[in-house]
Amino acid sequence: MACSKEAAQLGQKVAVLDYVEPSAKGTKWGLGGTCVNVGCIPKKLMHQAALLGTAVKDAKMYGWQLPETVRHDWTTLAEAVQNHVRSLNWVAFPCFFFYIDKHFTCPSLLQTVLTTKNVVIATGGRPKHPTHIPGAVEHGITNVALECAGFLTGIGLDTTVMVRSVALRGFDQQMAGLVTDYMEAYGTRFLWRSVPTKVEKLSSGGLQVTWTDVQTGSEHKDAYDSVLWAVGRAPETKALGLDQLGVQLNKDTGKIVVGADEATSVPNVYAFGDISEGRPELTPTAIRAGKLLARRLAGQSGELMNYDNVATTVFTPLEYGCVGLSEEEVVRRQGEDGVEVYHAFYKPLEFTVAGRDASQCYIKVSVCRGGDQKILGLHLIGPNAGEVIQGFSMGLQCGATYTQLLQTVGIHPTCAEEVVKIHITKRSG
């Protein structure tokens, strides 16, 4: 969408081909991909619903006189979220199982043939189902793991997360541990190092899940109303006829191999977003990459997408925002002696009157040791982490140093000011 709209504004003739293959449960949606329809947007709204539930509890400590029992109505929330999502959709050519031939024509199911100079592929990915587990596809739906578990807990539902190995794979694992520690204290149950073996429908309508504790080898069972899978995503490349065209794919991931300019191995065929090998699976990243690609194809610019220091946030009950490298990756690249890690626990002022536990509110800044100490990674767990990290991400894009961080005057009283006050090193003990 971003690429096509940018190209159209630059005077290019553009056609958008879009089709959503129904999920295993028959769910489908309009244009806009995962983020708008079944990802970031509905997720953030449901996260907000859960935050409001916590705010209601805090409100009593701030003097608000509220009824003893406050209940959440899922139907009202779901309808409001779906209405907002529907308002964001617009029209495109419905197209699936299209084949791009060497003349770049694209017959759809309606047998309309479009001939074009350039083809841009941005089909993204779809959630995987663990098809080797009996009952997984028939009885399960897909979700976004900790974020989904967090808001379900927040609106009062009994929620359990089963973790095969680690939480938030690819993120800084110290931060991931703090996120899950908070969630456990918040009321989410975790089954660590466990693997489901089957899902069965009960006569009551519920679902019985059988799993194995991989540490002890023992088998367990429990009943749930819903089972949600969050076992990764697969790129939508299989139905595009790319092998016949000669577009190179990564054999392990199925993603399209692209260059710095988003070009594939076939001239005039481009790909960006989650479909591309080695790119962050983040909507804003894909939006910017798409706009820049449109400008290059229209001859308006030669600017390439910079994929370094892209900020992101995990919208768990206590948010985790980060920009730059994890501590593990910084140490891998620089070595233990080449890194200084500054860190601090802090307590948001809002937590004080409410009597909320701030044990997991934490900041970590990894820098090059020596000189001005260039910042390589900045991580924050706390309220509104996404809003805080967005501002600091510009600093990292500009090559910010620890010296400059210390020269920055904080806004008082905020959580963000805790970042510019950070001075204790892990090395100090």
Side-chain angles (χ1 to χ4, degrees):
M1 288 174 66
C3 183
S4 61
K5 287 192 284 187
E6 185 75 11
Q9 289 171 0
L10 294 172
Q12 304 297 294
K13 192 174 181 181
V14 183
V16 178
L17 294 91
D18 182 81
Y19 180 82
V20 177
E21 183 180 8
S23 72
K25 292 290 185 181
T27 305
K28 55 183 179 179
W29 49 87
L31 191 65
T34 296
C35 179
V36 168
N37 293 285
V38 291
C40 317
I41 299 299
K43 169 199 72 183
K44 180 70 183 294
L45 292 172
M46 292 177 181
H47 171 61
Q48 175 64 13
L51 292 181
L52 289 172
T54 301
V56 167
K57 296 174 184 175
D58 290 351
K60 294 180 181 180
M61 300 297 291
Y62 278 90
W64 285 94
Q65 302 299 308
L66 300 170
E68 283 302 312
T69 303
V70 178
R71 289 190 173 88
H72 181 270
D73 182 65
W74 171 261
T75 302
T76 301
L77 172 64
E79 184 177 346
V81 170
Q82 287 170 349
N83 285 341
H84 176 68
V85 167
R86 289 188 192 103
S87 74
L88 302 176
N89 287 321
W90 55 288
V91 179
F93 288 101
C95 178
F96 186 50
F97 287 113
F98 66 82
Y99 164 60
I100 307 169
D101 69 22
K102 295 201 175 184
H103 301 289
F104 307 116
T105 59
C106 175
S108 77
L109 291 176
L110 301 177
Q111 295 302 306
T112 301
V113 176
L114 305 176
T115 303
T116 178
K117 179 180 178 181
N118 297 302
V119 172
V120 176
I121 305 169
T123 49
R126 291 292 289 271
K128 296 177 184 176
H129 280 83
T131 53
H132 63 286
I133 299 174
V137 177
E138 305 95 296
H139 305 310
I141 56 178
T142 55
N143 80 108
V144 281
L146 296 190
E147 293 175 321
C148 203
F151 71 67
L152 290 173
T153 302
I155 62 174
L157 300 180
D158 181 9
T159 307
T160 301
V161 179
M162 185 179 296
V163 184
R164 295 172 294 173
S165 53
V166 297
L168 296 178
R169 185 186 304 279
F171 285 88
D172 186 293
Q173 284 301 293
Q174 181 193 8
M175 307 304 285
L178 290 169
V179 168
T180 54
D181 285 350
Y182 182 88
M183 289 183 66
E184 286 189 290
Y186 183 73
T188 306
R189 180 189 178 203
F190 280 82
L191 298 172
W192 295 101
R193 302 287 292 169
S194 296
V195 178
T197 54
K198 63 181 174 180
V199 181
E200 300 168 289
K201 188 93 168 181
L202 299 173
S203 58
S204 62
L207 300 173
Q208 180 173 274
V209 178
T210 303
W211 72 90
T212 301
D213 182 322
V214 297
Q215 292 176 303
T216 64
S218 57
E219 186 177 272
H220 304 271
K221 295 180 181 179
D222 207 342
Y224 302 91
D225 295 317
S226 301
V227 173
L228 301 90
W229 303 107
V231 292
R233 297 172 62 80
E236 288 277 73
T237 50
K238 292 181 180 177
L240 303 182
L242 299 179
D243 53 341
Q244 300 173 58
L245 188 60
V247 172
Q248 183 184 356
L249 304 180
N250 181 300
K251 293 180 180 179
D252 295 327
T253 64
K255 293 189 175 187
I256 299 173
V257 177
V258 294
D261 60 352
E262 323 301 348
T264 71
S265 57
V266 175
N268 297 86
V269 178
Y270 301 85
F272 69 93
D274 293 11
I275 200 75
S276 302
E277 181 62 35
R279 302 301 195 219
E281 294 186 357
L282 298 168
T283 301
T285 312
I287 288 173
R288 176 152 179 79
K291 288 181 176 180
L292 291 175
L293 175 58
R295 292 169 195 168
R296 293 196 300 273
L297 293 180
Q300 299 293 312
S301 169
E303 183 183 356
L304 299 175
M305 176 65 189
N306 176 9
Y307 288 99
D308 292 331
N309 292 324
V310 174
T312 190
T313 293
V314 182
F315 291 100
T316 39
L318 195 62
E319 296 177 9
Y320 165 34
C322 61
V323 58
L325 305 175
S326 66
E327 183 179 352
E328 294 93 335
E329 183 61 19
V330 168
V331 170
R332 189 187 71 81
R333 294 188 186 189
Q334 305 287 126
E336 290 277 1
D337 293 334
V339 179
E340 199 73 87
V341 179
Y342 294 90
H343 68 152
F345 287 94
Y346 68 100
K347 188 161 191 171
L349 182 63
E350 299 88 337
F351 281 27
T352 55
V353 171
R356 290 174 61 185
D357 181 20
S359 300
Q360 288 82 33
C361 292
Y362 179 73
I363 301 165
K364 177 162 63 175
V365 181
S366 299
V367 306
C368 287
R369 197 177 181 197
D372 283 339
Q373 297 185 299
K374 182 179 179 181
I375 299 173
L376 303 175
L378 195 159
H379 303 257
L380 182 143
I381 294 177
N384 306 302
E387 308 293 347
V388 174
I389 289 294
Q390 180 68 83
F392 283 105
S393 68
M394 180 180 175
L396 266 71
Q397 282 289 355
C398 298
T401 65
Y402 178 65
T403 301
Q404 292 168 331
L405 189 70
L406 292 185
Q407 292 169 346
T408 303
V409 178
I411 300 171
H412 185 72
T414 62
C415 294
E417 73 171 318
E418 301 298 330
V419 179
V420 302
K421 290 159 53 179
I422 200 163
H423 66 280
I424 298 171
T425 66
K426 281 193 172 183
R427 192 181 304 274
S428 71

Short mmCIF file of all heavy atoms in Angstrom, two decimals, residues 128-171:
data_model
loop_
_atom_site.label_atom_id
_atom_site.label_comp_id
_atom_site.label_asym_id
_atom_site.label_seq_id
_atom_site.Cartn_x
_atom_site.Cartn_y
_atom_site.Cartn_z
N LYS A 128 2.29 -19.70 11.29
CA LYS A 128 2.41 -21.14 11.12
C LYS A 128 1.51 -21.86 12.12
O LYS A 128 1.27 -21.35 13.22
CB LYS A 128 3.85 -21.60 11.37
CG LYS A 128 4.88 -21.06 10.40
CD LYS A 128 6.27 -21.55 10.83
CE LYS A 128 7.37 -20.98 9.97
NZ LYS A 128 8.71 -21.38 10.46
N HIS A 129 1.05 -23.02 11.73
CA HIS A 129 0.41 -23.95 12.67
C HIS A 129 1.36 -25.13 12.87
O HIS A 129 2.00 -25.58 11.92
CB HIS A 129 -0.91 -24.49 12.10
CG HIS A 129 -2.07 -23.56 12.25
ND1 HIS A 129 -2.31 -22.54 11.36
CD2 HIS A 129 -3.05 -23.49 13.18
CE1 HIS A 129 -3.40 -21.88 11.74
NE2 HIS A 129 -3.86 -22.44 12.83
N PRO A 130 1.47 -25.64 14.10
CA PRO A 130 2.29 -26.84 14.31
C PRO A 130 1.52 -28.07 13.81
O PRO A 130 0.89 -28.78 14.60
CB PRO A 130 2.49 -26.85 15.83
CG PRO A 130 1.29 -26.15 16.37
CD PRO A 130 0.87 -25.14 15.35
N THR A 131 1.57 -28.29 12.51
CA THR A 131 0.73 -29.32 11.89
C THR A 131 1.06 -30.74 12.35
O THR A 131 0.26 -31.66 12.16
CB THR A 131 0.88 -29.24 10.35
OG1 THR A 131 2.28 -29.30 10.01
CG2 THR A 131 0.31 -27.93 9.83
N HIS A 132 2.23 -30.91 12.98
CA HIS A 132 2.62 -32.25 13.47
C HIS A 132 1.90 -32.62 14.77
O HIS A 132 1.96 -33.77 15.21
CB HIS A 132 4.13 -32.31 13.69
CG HIS A 132 4.62 -31.37 14.75
ND1 HIS A 132 4.71 -30.00 14.55
CD2 HIS A 132 5.04 -31.58 16.03
CE1 HIS A 132 5.16 -29.43 15.65
NE2 HIS A 132 5.37 -30.37 16.56
N ILE A 133 1.21 -31.63 15.38
CA ILE A 133 0.50 -31.89 16.63
C ILE A 133 -0.96 -32.19 16.32
O ILE A 133 -1.66 -31.34 15.76
CB ILE A 133 0.59 -30.67 17.58
CG1 ILE A 133 2.06 -30.39 17.93
CG2 ILE A 133 -0.22 -30.91 18.85
CD1 ILE A 133 2.26 -29.12 18.73
N PRO A 134 -1.46 -33.39 16.66
CA PRO A 134 -2.86 -33.73 16.39
C PRO A 134 -3.81 -32.72 17.02
O PRO A 134 -3.67 -32.38 18.20
CB PRO A 134 -3.02 -35.12 17.03
CG PRO A 134 -1.63 -35.69 17.07
CD PRO A 134 -0.72 -34.52 17.28
N GLY A 135 -4.74 -32.23 16.23
CA GLY A 135 -5.74 -31.29 16.72
C GLY A 135 -5.33 -29.83 16.67
O GLY A 135 -6.15 -28.94 16.94
N ALA A 136 -4.07 -29.55 16.32
CA ALA A 136 -3.58 -28.16 16.37
C ALA A 136 -4.31 -27.27 15.38
O ALA A 136 -4.73 -26.16 15.72
CB ALA A 136 -2.08 -28.13 16.09
N VAL A 137 -4.46 -27.73 14.14
CA VAL A 137 -5.09 -26.91 13.10
C VAL A 137 -6.60 -26.81 13.32
O VAL A 137 -7.18 -25.73 13.23
CB VAL A 137 -4.78 -27.47 11.70
CG1 VAL A 137 -5.49 -26.65 10.63
CG2 VAL A 137 -3.27 -27.48 11.46
N GLU A 138 -7.23 -27.96 13.63
CA GLU A 138 -8.69 -27.99 13.78
C GLU A 138 -9.18 -27.16 14.96
O GLU A 138 -10.23 -26.51 14.88
CB GLU A 138 -9.18 -29.44 13.98
CG GLU A 138 -8.75 -30.41 12.90
CD GLU A 138 -7.50 -31.16 13.28
OE1 GLU A 138 -6.43 -30.52 13.44
OE2 GLU A 138 -7.58 -32.38 13.44
N HIS A 139 -8.41 -27.15 16.04
CA HIS A 139 -8.92 -26.57 17.28
C HIS A 139 -8.21 -25.29 17.72
O HIS A 139 -8.60 -24.70 18.73
CB HIS A 139 -8.84 -27.61 18.40
CG HIS A 139 -9.54 -28.90 18.10
ND1 HIS A 139 -10.83 -28.95 17.63
CD2 HIS A 139 -9.10 -30.19 18.17
CE1 HIS A 139 -11.18 -30.21 17.43
NE2 HIS A 139 -10.15 -30.98 17.76
N GLY A 140 -7.17 -24.89 17.01
CA GLY A 140 -6.41 -23.73 17.45
C GLY A 140 -6.53 -22.54 16.50
O GLY A 140 -6.91 -22.68 15.34
N ILE A 141 -6.26 -21.36 17.03
CA ILE A 141 -6.13 -20.16 16.21
C ILE A 141 -4.73 -19.59 16.46
O ILE A 141 -3.97 -20.13 17.27
CB ILE A 141 -7.22 -19.12 16.56
CG1 ILE A 141 -7.21 -18.75 18.05
CG2 ILE A 141 -8.60 -19.64 16.15
CD1 ILE A 141 -8.22 -17.70 18.43
N THR A 142 -4.37 -18.50 15.75
CA THR A 142 -3.01 -17.96 15.88
C THR A 142 -3.05 -16.58 16.52
O THR A 142 -4.04 -15.87 16.46
CB THR A 142 -2.33 -17.88 14.50
OG1 THR A 142 -3.16 -17.13 13.61
CG2 THR A 142 -2.09 -19.27 13.94
N ASN A 143 -1.91 -16.21 17.13
CA ASN A 143 -1.85 -14.93 17.85
C ASN A 143 -0.41 -14.46 17.96
O ASN A 143 0.49 -15.01 17.34
CB ASN A 143 -2.48 -15.08 19.23
CG ASN A 143 -1.54 -15.71 20.23
OD1 ASN A 143 -1.04 -15.05 21.12
ND2 ASN A 143 -1.26 -17.01 20.08
N VAL A 144 -0.20 -13.40 18.78
CA VAL A 144 1.13 -12.82 18.94
C VAL A 144 1.65 -13.01 20.36
O VAL A 144 2.15 -12.08 21.00
CB VAL A 144 1.14 -11.33 18.54
CG1 VAL A 144 1.20 -11.18 17.03
CG2 VAL A 144 -0.05 -10.59 19.10
N ALA A 145 1.54 -14.21 20.85
CA ALA A 145 2.19 -14.69 22.07
C ALA A 145 2.06 -13.78 23.28
O ALA A 145 0.97 -13.60 23.80
CB ALA A 145 3.66 -15.01 21.78
N LEU A 146 3.18 -13.21 23.76
CA LEU A 146 3.17 -12.49 25.03
C LEU A 146 2.24 -11.29 25.02
O LEU A 146 1.58 -10.99 26.02
CB LEU A 146 4.59 -12.05 25.41
CG LEU A 146 5.61 -13.15 25.66
CD1 LEU A 146 6.88 -12.56 26.25
CD2 LEU A 146 5.06 -14.23 26.59
N GLU A 147 2.18 -10.58 23.90
CA GLU A 147 1.29 -9.42 23.83
C GLU A 147 -0.16 -9.85 23.99
O GLU A 147 -0.94 -9.25 24.73
CB GLU A 147 1.50 -8.69 22.51
CG GLU A 147 2.87 -8.03 22.40
CD GLU A 147 3.12 -7.41 21.05
OE1 GLU A 147 2.73 -8.00 20.03
OE2 GLU A 147 3.72 -6.33 21.01
N CYS A 148 -0.54 -10.89 23.28
CA CYS A 148 -1.91 -11.40 23.36
C CYS A 148 -2.20 -11.94 24.76
O CYS A 148 -3.24 -11.64 25.35
CB CYS A 148 -2.11 -12.49 22.31
SG CYS A 148 -3.82 -12.74 21.82
N ALA A 149 -1.29 -12.70 25.30
CA ALA A 149 -1.47 -13.24 26.65
C ALA A 149 -1.59 -12.11 27.67
O ALA A 149 -2.38 -12.19 28.62
CB ALA A 149 -0.30 -14.14 27.02
N GLY A 150 -0.84 -11.04 27.47
CA GLY A 150 -0.88 -9.92 28.38
C GLY A 150 -2.22 -9.22 28.41
O GLY A 150 -2.78 -8.97 29.49
N PHE A 151 -2.78 -8.91 27.23
CA PHE A 151 -4.06 -8.20 27.28
C PHE A 151 -5.21 -9.12 27.66
O PHE A 151 -6.20 -8.67 28.25
CB PHE A 151 -4.33 -7.39 26.00
CG PHE A 151 -4.64 -8.17 24.74
CD1 PHE A 151 -5.80 -8.90 24.61
CD2 PHE A 151 -3.79 -8.09 23.64
CE1 PHE A 151 -6.10 -9.58 23.45
CE2 PHE A 151 -4.09 -8.76 22.46
CZ PHE A 151 -5.25 -9.51 22.37
N LEU A 152 -5.11 -10.41 27.36
CA LEU A 152 -6.16 -11.33 27.80
C LEU A 152 -6.17 -11.44 29.32
O LEU A 152 -7.24 -11.45 29.95
CB LEU A 152 -5.95 -12.71 27.16
CG LEU A 152 -6.21 -12.80 25.66
CD1 LEU A 152 -5.82 -14.16 25.12
CD2 LEU A 152 -7.67 -12.51 25.34
N THR A 153 -4.99 -11.50 29.92
CA THR A 153 -4.90 -11.47 31.38
C THR A 153 -5.47 -10.16 31.92
O THR A 153 -6.21 -10.13 32.90
CB THR A 153 -3.45 -11.64 31.85
OG1 THR A 153 -2.93 -12.88 31.34
CG2 THR A 153 -3.35 -11.62 33.37
N GLY A 154 -5.13 -9.07 31.23
CA GLY A 154 -5.52 -7.75 31.68
C GLY A 154 -7.01 -7.50 31.68
O GLY A 154 -7.50 -6.68 32.47
N ILE A 155 -7.75 -8.19 30.80
CA ILE A 155 -9.21 -8.00 30.80
C ILE A 155 -9.90 -9.06 31.65
O ILE A 155 -11.13 -9.20 31.60
CB ILE A 155 -9.78 -8.00 29.36
CG1 ILE A 155 -9.54 -9.33 28.64
CG2 ILE A 155 -9.22 -6.83 28.56
CD1 ILE A 155 -10.21 -9.43 27.29
N GLY A 156 -9.09 -9.81 32.41
CA GLY A 156 -9.66 -10.70 33.41
C GLY A 156 -9.78 -12.16 33.04
O GLY A 156 -10.44 -12.93 33.74
N LEU A 157 -9.12 -12.59 31.96
CA LEU A 157 -9.22 -13.99 31.54
C LEU A 157 -8.05 -14.80 32.09
O LEU A 157 -6.92 -14.32 32.16
CB LEU A 157 -9.24 -14.08 30.01
CG LEU A 157 -10.40 -13.35 29.33
CD1 LEU A 157 -10.32 -13.52 27.81
CD2 LEU A 157 -11.75 -13.87 29.83
N ASP A 158 -8.32 -16.03 32.47
CA ASP A 158 -7.31 -16.95 32.98
C ASP A 158 -6.46 -17.42 31.80
O ASP A 158 -6.93 -18.17 30.94
CB ASP A 158 -8.01 -18.13 33.66
CG ASP A 158 -7.03 -19.13 34.25
OD1 ASP A 158 -5.82 -18.83 34.28
OD2 ASP A 158 -7.47 -20.21 34.68
N THR A 159 -5.21 -16.97 31.76
CA THR A 159 -4.37 -17.19 30.57
C THR A 159 -3.07 -17.90 30.93
O THR A 159 -2.40 -17.54 31.91
CB THR A 159 -4.04 -15.83 29.91
OG1 THR A 159 -5.25 -15.12 29.68
CG2 THR A 159 -3.30 -16.02 28.60
N THR A 160 -2.72 -18.90 30.14
CA THR A 160 -1.48 -19.66 30.33
C THR A 160 -0.64 -19.58 29.07
O THR A 160 -1.15 -19.71 27.96
CB THR A 160 -1.79 -21.14 30.62
OG1 THR A 160 -2.59 -21.22 31.80
CG2 THR A 160 -0.52 -21.94 30.82
N VAL A 161 0.66 -19.35 29.22
CA VAL A 161 1.60 -19.34 28.10
C VAL A 161 2.52 -20.55 28.22
O VAL A 161 3.18 -20.73 29.25
CB VAL A 161 2.46 -18.06 28.07
CG1 VAL A 161 3.46 -18.11 26.91
CG2 VAL A 161 1.58 -16.83 27.97
N MET A 162 2.54 -21.38 27.18
CA MET A 162 3.46 -22.51 27.15
C MET A 162 4.66 -22.13 26.30
O MET A 162 4.51 -21.70 25.16
CB MET A 162 2.76 -23.75 26.55
CG MET A 162 3.61 -25.01 26.60
SD MET A 162 2.72 -26.44 25.93
CE MET A 162 1.38 -26.59 27.10
N VAL A 163 5.86 -22.25 26.87
CA VAL A 163 7.09 -21.82 26.20
C VAL A 163 7.97 -23.03 25.92
O VAL A 163 8.36 -23.74 26.84
CB VAL A 163 7.86 -20.80 27.06
CG1 VAL A 163 9.07 -20.28 26.31
CG2 VAL A 163 6.95 -19.65 27.48
N ARG A 164 8.30 -23.22 24.64
CA ARG A 164 9.14 -24.36 24.26
C ARG A 164 10.58 -24.17 24.70
O ARG A 164 11.23 -25.09 25.19
CB ARG A 164 9.11 -24.55 22.74
CG ARG A 164 7.76 -24.95 22.18
CD ARG A 164 7.78 -24.92 20.67
NE ARG A 164 7.96 -23.56 20.16
CZ ARG A 164 8.14 -23.26 18.88
NH1 ARG A 164 8.19 -24.22 17.99
NH2 ARG A 164 8.27 -22.00 18.50
N SER A 165 11.12 -22.95 24.52
CA SER A 165 12.52 -22.71 24.85
C SER A 165 12.68 -21.39 25.57
O SER A 165 12.79 -21.35 26.79
CB SER A 165 13.38 -22.75 23.58
OG SER A 165 12.85 -21.86 22.59
N VAL A 166 12.69 -20.27 24.81
CA VAL A 166 12.85 -18.95 25.44
C VAL A 166 11.73 -18.03 24.97
O VAL A 166 11.15 -18.23 23.91
CB VAL A 166 14.22 -18.32 25.09
CG1 VAL A 166 15.35 -19.18 25.63
CG2 VAL A 166 14.37 -18.11 23.58
N ALA A 167 11.46 -17.01 25.77
CA ALA A 167 10.49 -15.99 25.39
C ALA A 167 11.20 -14.89 24.61
O ALA A 167 12.38 -14.61 24.84
CB ALA A 167 9.83 -15.40 26.63
N LEU A 168 10.48 -14.28 23.67
CA LEU A 168 11.01 -13.16 22.89
C LEU A 168 12.36 -13.50 22.25
O LEU A 168 13.35 -12.78 22.40
CB LEU A 168 11.13 -11.90 23.76
CG LEU A 168 9.81 -11.33 24.30
CD1 LEU A 168 10.08 -10.11 25.18
CD2 LEU A 168 8.88 -10.94 23.17
N ARG A 169 12.36 -14.58 21.51
CA ARG A 169 13.58 -14.99 20.79
C ARG A 169 14.05 -13.85 19.88
O ARG A 169 13.26 -13.20 19.19
CB ARG A 169 13.28 -16.22 19.95
CG ARG A 169 14.50 -16.81 19.24
CD ARG A 169 14.08 -17.95 18.31
NE ARG A 169 13.34 -18.97 19.01
CZ ARG A 169 13.91 -19.95 19.74
NH1 ARG A 169 15.22 -20.00 19.83
NH2 ARG A 169 13.17 -20.84 20.35
N GLY A 170 15.34 -13.58 19.88
CA GLY A 170 15.89 -12.51 19.06
C GLY A 170 16.02 -11.19 19.79
O GLY A 170 16.73 -10.29 19.34
N PHE A 171 15.33 -11.06 20.94
CA PHE A 171 15.47 -9.87 21.75
C PHE A 171 16.50 -10.10 22.85
O PHE A 171 16.90 -11.23 23.12
CB PHE A 171 14.12 -9.51 22.40
CG PHE A 171 13.12 -8.90 21.45
CD1 PHE A 171 12.26 -9.70 20.71
CD2 PHE A 171 13.03 -7.52 21.30
CE1 PHE A 171 11.33 -9.15 19.85
CE2 PHE A 171 12.11 -6.96 20.44
CZ PHE A 171 11.25 -7.77 19.71
#
